[in-house]
């Protein structure tokens, strides 16, 4: 055994404990950094001790599951938020919603039927008809606005997805140039997996890490991020259809999850479907009321004309301004004298109960919207809970526990102190050997 | 040992936050229910309940319209009844006068006086026949003409009916009587008969027995009208009670679906509050210590 080997043994320990304390310090510093995976110093015994690597405690499988569920959750969160917004456009049950306005409208006809010569009741019905059409127009406008705002959201989302894709590609390059088992590469890999989880939440996709530690991302088989390069996405609106396309060849990108899918579904399916239902309400209102008008005679004894025009929620409007034009009487004039019979107004007051009338269609709409919103909320809550359980599994493996780090710090500190003591002991022994031995007779 | 052996400092506080915030969300919901008094704020909270609320509100509006229909109908029929009662009385008075005119001791002078009285009765019947309710003639059918009879006692209204809806099944009740139904039809109507009587009293007393037969037929018509009006008023009064019951029923049903069960909600809120405070306390005591606090 060489005379001075003990010194280098102690030195290697001093160095290793210092590295270990640095890593513990790094862990504690990142206790609340999103995406940070704790690191551990792997030491191996040789001549003294060696720091063989600084390991990043991270599970690829859990990371994958978190990305998949994150993408699903991203989709469901948007879907549920959109349905919530639509529900706010049609606030029911309430005393100010469309149903209350329909009730008041039909009720106005009953007022006329009791006294067909009552001009005030007739004016009231015209006013109430205007309130109805305004409410329908406004609801249609709000649905259009919601759709437009989500198109904007989609554009912003695609921009940030592109920047995450760029980050991943750049990190791939940096990682390939950084030596393995170091704090530096661990930090880069954390950044990359954080960017990947953000990208997954935005647009979904498939994530693969190859043998040379490059991450690739593909959407429906088409490459989004390669080992050193990435493609870009763009939002295109053509002929009223919004889609996400590849900038390289304007072909539609296959997006099946993530926020982007939520927005796309909202813009192209969900909102148009509820708009169609609302149009059906408007159409039923126009048809039933106009048919009833045609069956009667107004104050002057003339056959009734259309009260509403337009069969869409966005275009329905009131065609009459004069209350006397409401065809309250079911009887034609006798000898040129208009009848004050109110049977037709009476029949119109009962239109609210007609099968497939505006009221029934609207109630169906509200109820199915309620069920859809409730369902979306519940599904998104379920996936959220599932996501939380995956996150806690990841955390139990990768997140920093201060107690643990403090204990480690203590161990390494004591190790450092002990190694220093060893050094002192060897130094003392050598001192004895070198300075105090062989002095006989001097 | 459980599968999760490590527990990260960060995730511990996150999970605590999660449960605390979900509790405070539920509390906010309960508070909203209590302060608004409504159990259903949005359709998605209870879609089928929402449908019931919407349908019941519509029914409530309809029922109150039926109630108003019935009340208006009763008012109009009552106005009709008052007129028909007075018409009946006057016709009976005319009958007495005819009988007096037929008496053996009647003279041309006394008969002429009786004829003058008959003329007065005829004029007053014409006023009754043209009487109105809230600006609309009572006995002219559904026409918009201002009167039912012209000065000559000819009916100028129509025979279209004025009805009012009383329930969801579409049942209607007629709330008017037209002139012919009260005064008789055409040449046999009260005015023509009274004119004939006055003429007989003045000129041809021999016709009086035949006049009496015609008058009796007019009286029978008026009595029939009296009975019809009475029975319709009764019908509407009964419907009034039925509708009032329905309104109460609907209001009760609406309250059951829509209104917050205060006792239940307040109890639940108190329980949530207790849980919330406990969770806050636990969080505070868990999150505080770490090994760091004990290493010096």
């Amino acid at each position: 055994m060489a005379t001075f080997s003990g010194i280098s043994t102690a030195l290697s320990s001093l160095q290793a404990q210092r590295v270990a304390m640095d890593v513990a310090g790094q862990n504690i510093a990142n206790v609340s950094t999103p995406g940070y995976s704790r690191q551990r110093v792997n030491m191996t015994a040789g001549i003294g001790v060696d720091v063989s690597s600084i390991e990043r405690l991270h599970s690829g499988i859990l990371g994958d599951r978190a990305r998949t569920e994150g993408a699903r959750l991203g989709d469901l969160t948007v879907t549920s938020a959109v349905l919530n917004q639509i529900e706010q456009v049609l606030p029911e049950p309430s005393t100010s919603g469309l149903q209350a306005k329909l009730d008041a409208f039909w009720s106005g006809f009953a007022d006329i039927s009791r006294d067909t010569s009552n001009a005030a009741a007739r004016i009231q019905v015209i006013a109430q008809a205007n309130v109805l059409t305004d409410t329908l127009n406004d609801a249609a406008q709000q649905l259009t606005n919601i759709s437009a705002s989500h198109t904007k959201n989609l554009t912003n989302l695609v921009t940030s997805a592109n920047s995450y894709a760029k980050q991943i590609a750049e990190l791939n390059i940096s990682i390939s140039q950084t030596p393995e088992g170091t704090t530096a590469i661990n930090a880069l890999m954390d950044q990359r997996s954080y960017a990947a989880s953000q990208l997954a939440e935005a647009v979904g996709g498939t994530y693969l890490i190859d043998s040379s530690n490059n991450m690739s991302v593909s959407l429906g088989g088409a490459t989004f991020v390669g080992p050193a390069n990435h493609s870009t996405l763009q939002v295109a609106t053509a002929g009223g259809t919004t889609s996400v396309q590849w900038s390289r060849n304007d072909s539609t990108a296959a997006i099946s999850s993530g926020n982007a899918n939520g927005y796309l579904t909202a813009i192209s399916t969900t909102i148009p479907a509820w708009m169609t239902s609302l149009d059906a309400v408007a159409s039923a209102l126009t048809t039933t009321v106009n048919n009833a008008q045609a069956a009667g005679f107004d104050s002057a004894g003339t056959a009734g004309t259309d009260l509403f025009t337009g069969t869409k929620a966005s275009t329905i409007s009131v065609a009459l301004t004069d209350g006397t034009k409401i065809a309250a009487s079911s009887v034609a004039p006798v000898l040129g004298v208009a009848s004050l019979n109110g049977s037709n107004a009476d029949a119109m007051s009962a239109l609210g109960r007609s099968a497939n009338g505006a009221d029934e269609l609207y109630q169906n709409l509200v109820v199915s919207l309620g069920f859809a919103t409730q369902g979306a909320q519940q599904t998104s809550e379920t996936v959220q809970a599932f996501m939380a359980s995956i996150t806690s599994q990841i955390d139990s493996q990768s997140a920093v526990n201060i107690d643990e780090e403090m204990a480690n710090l203590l161990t390494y500190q004591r190790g450092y102190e002990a190694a220093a003591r060893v050094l002192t002991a060897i130094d003392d022994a050598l001192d004895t050997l070198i300075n105090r031995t062989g002095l006989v007779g001097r | 040992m459980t599968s999760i052996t490590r527990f990260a400092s960060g995730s511990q506080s996150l999970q605590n936050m999660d449960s605390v915030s979900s509790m405070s969300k539920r509390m906010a919901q309960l508070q909203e229910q209590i302060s608004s008094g409504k159990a259903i704020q949005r359709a998605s909270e209870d879609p089928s309940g929402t449908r019931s609320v919407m349908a019941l509100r519509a029914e409530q509006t309809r029922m109150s319209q039926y109630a108003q229909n019935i009340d208006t109908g009763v008012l109009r029929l009552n106005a009709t009844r008052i007129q028909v009662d007075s018409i009946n009385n006057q016709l009976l008075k005319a009958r007495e006068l005819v009988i007096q005119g037929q008496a053996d001791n009647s003279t041309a002078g006394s008969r002429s006086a009786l004829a003058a009285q008959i003329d007065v009765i005829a004029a007053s019947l014409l006023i009754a026949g043209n009487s109105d309710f809230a600006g609309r003639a009572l006995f002219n059918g559904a026409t918009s003409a201002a009167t039912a009879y012209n000065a000559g006692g000819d009916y100028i209204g129509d025979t279209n009916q004025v009805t009012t809806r009383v329930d969801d099944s579409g049942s209607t009740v007629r709330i008017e009587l037209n002139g012919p139904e009260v005064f008789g039809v055409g040449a046999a109507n009260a005015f023509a008969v009274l004119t004939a009587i006055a003429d007989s009293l003045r000129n041809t007393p021999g016709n009086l027995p035949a006049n009496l037969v015609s008058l009796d037929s007019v009286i029978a018509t008026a009595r029939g009208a009296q009975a019809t009006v009475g029975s319709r008023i009764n019908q509407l009064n009964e419907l009034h009670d039925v509708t009032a019951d329905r309104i109460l029923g609907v209001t009760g049903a609406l309250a059951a679906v829509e209104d917050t069960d205060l006792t239940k909600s307040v109890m639940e809120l108190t329980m949530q509050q207790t849980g919330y405070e406990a969770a806050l306390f636990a969080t505070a005591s868990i999150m505080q210590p770490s090994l760091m606090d004990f290493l010096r």
Side-chain angles (χ1 to χ4, degrees), chain A residues 350-363:
Chain A
L351 287 177
R353 287 175 53 246
S354 55
N356 285 321
D359 291 56
E360 191 182 332
L361 292 177
Y362 180 63
Q363 285 172 16

Side-chain angles (χ1 to χ4, degrees), chain A residues 274 277 361-374, chain B residues 47:
Chain A
W274 294 114
S277 303
L361 292 177
Y362 180 63
Q363 285 172 16
N364 289 346
L365 189 166
V366 168
V367 172
S368 37
L369 179 60
F371 275 121
T373 311
Q374 196 184 44

Side-chain angles (χ1 to χ4, degrees), chain A residues 137-370:
Chain A
N137 295 160
D138 186 48
Q141 185 57 50
Q142 283 189 54
L143 285 183
T144 313
N145 292 350
I146 291 174
S147 184
S149 78
H150 289 308
T151 311
K152 223 173 259 172
N153 288 341
L154 181 64
T155 312
N156 293 339
L157 184 79
V158 163
T159 310
S160 68
N162 284 336
S163 98
Y164 283 125
K166 186 171 172 234
Q167 269 181 46
I168 294 174
E170 286 170 358
L171 285 163
N172 276 341
I173 298 170
S174 309
I175 287 168
S176 69
Q177 291 165 349
T178 312
E180 280 184 46
T182 58
T183 316
I185 198 169
N186 288 345
L188 292 173
M189 278 160 70
D190 278 345
Q191 283 174 31
R192 188 176 65 183
S193 77
Y194 182 68
S197 71
Q198 298 292 310
L199 185 61
E201 195 187 328
V203 295
T206 314
Y207 298 77
L208 286 174
I209 295 177
D210 64 14
S211 52
S212 38
N213 203 359
N214 281 314
M215 180 183 269
S216 61
V217 183
S218 58
L219 295 178
T223 306
F224 191 10
V225 181
N229 52 8
H230 76 282
S231 308
T232 52
L233 293 170
Q234 63 188 22
V235 176
T237 307
T241 316
T242 302
S243 63
V244 174
Q245 296 181 338
W246 295 110
S247 309
R248 57 173 181 256
N249 57 6
D250 288 355
S251 66
T252 304
I255 286 175
S256 56
S257 61
N259 295 142
N261 192 48
Y263 290 133
L264 281 172
T265 315
I267 297 163
S268 57
T269 315
T270 318
I271 296 173
W274 294 114
M275 185 72 106
T276 309
S277 303
L278 200 60
D279 285 346
V281 174
S283 169
L285 185 64
T286 302
T287 314
T288 50
V289 173
N290 287 353
N291 285 348
Q293 273 281 110
F297 301 87
D298 66 15
S299 293
T302 328
T305 53
D306 285 356
L307 176 56
F308 289 114
T309 58
T311 53
K312 284 182 177 297
S314 53
T315 57
I316 189 170
S317 65
V318 182
L320 297 181
T321 49
D322 181 359
T324 62
K325 298 281 185 204
I326 289 168
S329 168
S330 64
V331 181
V334 178
L335 302 170
V337 182
S339 172
L340 287 180
N341 161 300
S343 295
N344 204 43
D346 187 47
M348 285 162 100
S349 77
L351 287 177
R353 287 175 53 246
S354 55
N356 285 321
D359 291 56
E360 191 182 332
L361 292 177
Y362 180 63
Q363 285 172 16
N364 289 346
L365 189 166
V366 168
V367 172
S368 37
L369 179 60

Side-chain angles (χ1 to χ4, degrees), chain B residues 23-247:
Chain B
M23 273 187 182
S24 80
K25 189 175 151 197
R26 175 72 190 133
M27 278 195 354
Q29 206 176 21
L30 280 170
Q31 265 159 358
E32 196 182 3
Q33 282 184 5
I34 292 169
S35 62
S36 70
K38 299 288 174 224
I40 309 173
Q41 306 291 336
R42 311 183 58 181
S44 56
E45 288 172 10
D46 182 0
S48 37
T50 302
R51 150 147 292 170
S52 310
V53 171
M54 288 165 81
L56 286 170
R57 285 233 180 98
E59 187 170 351
Q60 204 177 25
T61 314
R62 284 200 308 276
M63 287 299 149
S64 60
Q65 282 295 353
Y66 297 149
Q68 282 190 54
N69 284 353
I70 290 167
D71 290 349
T72 314
V74 169
L75 284 177
R76 184 171 167 143
L77 283 173
N78 268 330
T80 310
R81 185 177 55 85
I82 290 164
Q83 296 299 338
V84 172
D85 283 353
S86 112
I87 290 162
N88 253 302
N89 289 339
Q90 299 195 63
L91 287 172
L92 287 175
K93 211 160 123 198
R95 190 173 193 278
E96 274 172 33
L97 296 176
V98 173
I99 300 216
Q100 281 179 37
Q102 280 178 294
D104 296 340
N105 56 1
S106 71
T107 61
S110 73
R111 280 197 298 272
S112 168
L114 291 174
Q117 283 189 54
I118 292 284
D119 287 342
V120 170
I121 288 175
S124 124
L125 276 188
L126 191 62
I127 291 169
N130 284 333
S131 60
D132 69 332
F133 170 71
R136 276 182 65 180
L138 272 177
F139 298 109
N140 71 350
T143 177
S144 55
T147 55
Y149 286 92
N150 64 13
D154 298 320
Y155 184 58
I156 52 170
D158 61 18
T159 52
N160 289 317
Q161 302 185 345
V162 176
T163 58
T164 198
R165 184 180 297 257
V166 291
D167 64 23
D168 273 348
S169 71
S171 310
T172 54
V173 172
R174 218 180 132 195
I175 53 166
E176 50 75 45
L177 284 175
N178 59 36
E181 286 171 322
V182 181
F183 296 99
V185 185
N189 82 11
F191 306 105
V193 168
L194 288 178
T195 312
I197 288 171
D199 184 58
S200 300
L201 282 170
R202 286 193 181 98
N203 307 318
T204 50
N207 288 345
L208 283 175
N211 291 146
L212 194 59
V213 173
S214 310
L215 185 61
D216 280 346
S217 139
V218 168
I219 289 172
T221 307
R223 282 227 174 103
Q226 209 173 13
T228 310
V229 171
S231 69
R232 282 195 198 140
I233 290 174
N234 277 341
Q235 188 188 358
L236 284 180
N237 280 335
E238 271 170 34
L239 283 167
H240 177 93
D241 295 345
V242 171
T243 309
D245 281 353
R246 283 292 299 280
I247 290 176

